[in-house]
Amino acid sequence: MKNILLVLIVGYLLVLILMYLFQRQLLYFPTTKPNHSGFNVVSLKSADISIKLVITEPDNEHAIIYFGGNAENVYDSSEIMSPALAGKTVYYVNYPGYGGSSGTPTEESILHAANDIYDYVSSKHQFVSLIGRSLGTGVAVALASKRPTLHLVLITPYDSIASIASSHYPFLPVSLLIKDKFNSLAYVQNVGAQVLTLIASDDKVIPNKHSVRLVQAFNAKQDLQGAEAKITALTLNNSNHNNIHLHPDFMHSINTFIN
């Protein structure tokens, strides 16, 4: 009996160690740069790394910065999202280590790059809005809490990465182990943008309760601050984490909100 208990304890500790050591490999899935060069790409220096930005429809007054998911190829997204963002200059961000950007993805490196990207974009455009999808919603919320933002669109958002991890791994002390928390709830009070959230009804990657908690935090802020703090929250039925963009209301909802 003691031997069985010892094996279980050692096994549990081994799982903790492995989860701690490899957690970023579970969170980030860097994409590769496409072979063909049919995209308008600029390189932006951020600290000691180079960030690749895919730009569509340059020279409009209103710019949008797009932060994608943890395995999202934003070169593809620049084509997929075009119906929703026509008439706007869009900067699709390749995180550190993604799509030709140098560096390594961490919460610190991504948020640092996001601030530098905003400063670059805002120097060229009169208005700046932000879109985040999945992992990128945490980046967009954090940035919107620090920089003036006209619109903030959050696609399959979450309260925090630590909270999601706790749902998926309830047997682990995730709050003690996780390095990159992306705690969106901590930034809500300082967000001045108009907010649209799009939630997938059948999302198994980010269970709905994590999206709802973020919406509730924005609603609580709206109750305190009145009409200036507006949020529109939509749940798209019969959609999941990966196919929400195929829902017939997806593109129209974003286009209408941003315009």
Side-chain angles (χ1 to χ4, degrees):
M1 190 68 178
K2 288 182 179 180
N3 289 339
I4 294 175
L5 182 59
L6 180 61
V7 169
L8 291 175
I9 293 173
V10 171
Y12 182 76
L13 292 175
L14 181 61
V15 170
L16 290 181
I17 292 170
L18 291 174
M19 289 292 291
Y20 181 79
L21 293 176
F22 295 101
Q23 60 181 276
R24 283 180 172 145
Q25 285 89 334
L26 296 172
L27 179 58
Y28 305 112
F29 299 91
T31 56
T32 58
K33 185 179 179 180
N35 293 326
H36 61 92
S37 57
F39 297 95
N40 181 11
V41 180
V42 299
S43 297
L44 175 68
K45 291 296 290 183
S46 176
D48 59 347
I49 64 177
S50 175
I51 298 295
K52 300 294 185 183
L53 302 174
V54 183
I55 307 174
T56 60
E57 297 192 40
D59 302 323
N60 290 301
E61 285 189 347
H62 189 173
I64 296 170
I65 307 173
Y66 181 95
F67 300 100
N70 64 353
E72 184 173 350
N73 188 324
V74 296
Y75 293 91
D76 293 337
S77 300
S78 67
E79 299 174 340
I80 292 170
M81 293 296 296
S82 59
L85 306 178
K88 306 294 185 293
T89 298
V90 188
Y91 295 81
Y92 293 87
V93 177
N94 284 291
Y95 299 132
Y98 281 66
S101 295
S102 61
T104 301
T106 67
E107 181 177 13
E108 181 180 6
S109 69
I110 291 172
L111 294 184
H112 189 283
N115 287 326
D116 289 342
I117 292 165
Y118 179 97
D119 294 342
Y120 171 80
V121 171
S122 64
S123 71
K124 296 179 176 295
H125 301 270
Q126 185 174 356
F127 306 106
V128 180
S129 295
L130 306 177
I131 295 179
R133 181 167 183 173
S134 190
L135 173 68
T137 63
V139 184
V141 171
L143 181 58
S145 74
K146 296 179 173 64
R147 298 288 193 274
T149 304
L150 189 60
H151 304 104
L152 176 61
V153 178
L154 304 174
I155 304 164
T156 61
Y158 52 84
D159 47 1
S160 75
I161 292 295
S163 180
I164 296 172
S166 293
S167 289
H168 288 295
Y169 306 103
F171 53 90
L172 297 176
V174 173
S175 61
L176 299 177
L177 295 174
I178 198 161
K179 298 175 182 178
D180 299 345
K181 295 180 171 61
F182 287 101
N183 185 4
S184 294
L185 291 180
Y187 297 108
V188 166
Q189 290 303 316
N190 294 321
V191 174
Q194 306 295 295
V195 182
L196 169 67
T197 63
L198 296 172
I199 301 170
S201 62
D202 304 320
D203 198 330
K204 298 297 188 291
V205 178
I206 298 176
N208 283 177
K209 65 181 181 181
H210 298 287
S211 299
V212 170
R213 284 174 188 162
L214 185 65
V215 171
Q216 288 172 338
F218 276 113
N219 280 331
K221 179 190 175 198
Q222 180 170 314
D223 291 341
L224 290 174
Q225 298 183 8
E228 293 184 0
K230 293 181 179 176
I231 178 170
T232 302
L234 301 176
T235 297
L236 303 186
N237 293 327
N238 302 315
S239 64
N240 62 42
H241 189 80
N242 295 318
N243 71 8
I244 187 173
H245 62 280
L246 299 176
H247 191 281
D249 293 335
F250 179 84
M251 298 294 178
H252 174 73
S253 297
I254 295 175
N255 185 270
T256 301
F257 178 74
I258 291 214
N259 285 294

